């Protein structure tokens, strides 16, 4: 596993640590991102677009439902 702030976490995804982090633990690295620093998209084309959480950037991506390789425009976030 991986140690963060003196606590051992198993390999794999950690839903939430005591410090409100979401982490991924592997034999080579532990990558964490804060769960309280996200801007959640609220005003977008909900009929044609969908929200996807990007584990690498630790943020949300807005993509077209019929073509997830293309980004959608977000009008506002909270």
């Amino acid at each position: 596993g991986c140690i963060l702030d003196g606590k051992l976490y198993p390999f794999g995804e950690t839903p939430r640590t005591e410090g409100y982090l979401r982490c991924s633990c592997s034999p080579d690295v532990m990558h964490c991102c804060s769960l309280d620093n996200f801007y959640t998209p609220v005003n977008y084309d909900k009929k044609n677009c969908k929200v996807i959480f990007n584990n690498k950037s630790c943020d949300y991506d807005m993509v077209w439902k019929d073509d997830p390789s293309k980004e959608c425009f977000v009008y506002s976030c909270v």
Side-chain angles (χ1 to χ4, degrees):
C2 300
I3 296 178
L4 177 68
D5 296 329
K7 186 173 179 182
L8 179 64
Y9 293 92
F11 290 128
E13 296 288 322
T14 302
R16 191 190 85 182
T17 68
E18 291 175 6
Y20 298 99
L21 297 173
R22 183 174 174 275
C23 299
S24 174
C25 175
S26 72
D28 299 322
V29 69
M30 184 169 191
H31 173 76
C32 297
C33 48
S34 173
L35 291 173
D36 62 357
N37 289 333
F38 300 130
Y39 288 103
T40 305
V42 291
N43 190 2
Y44 60 94
D45 181 354
K46 294 179 175 136
K47 180 181 176 185
N48 296 306
C49 301
K50 64 181 176 179
V51 179
I52 297 176
F53 184 75
N54 184 323
N55 289 322
K56 290 183 181 178
S57 67
C58 209
D59 200 356
Y60 292 106
D61 291 336
M62 293 296 307
V63 296
W64 289 96
K65 288 180 180 177
D66 61 353
D67 187 357
S69 68
K70 295 182 181 177
E71 292 186 11
C72 287
F73 183 77
V74 178
Y75 300 105
S76 63
C77 298
V78 293

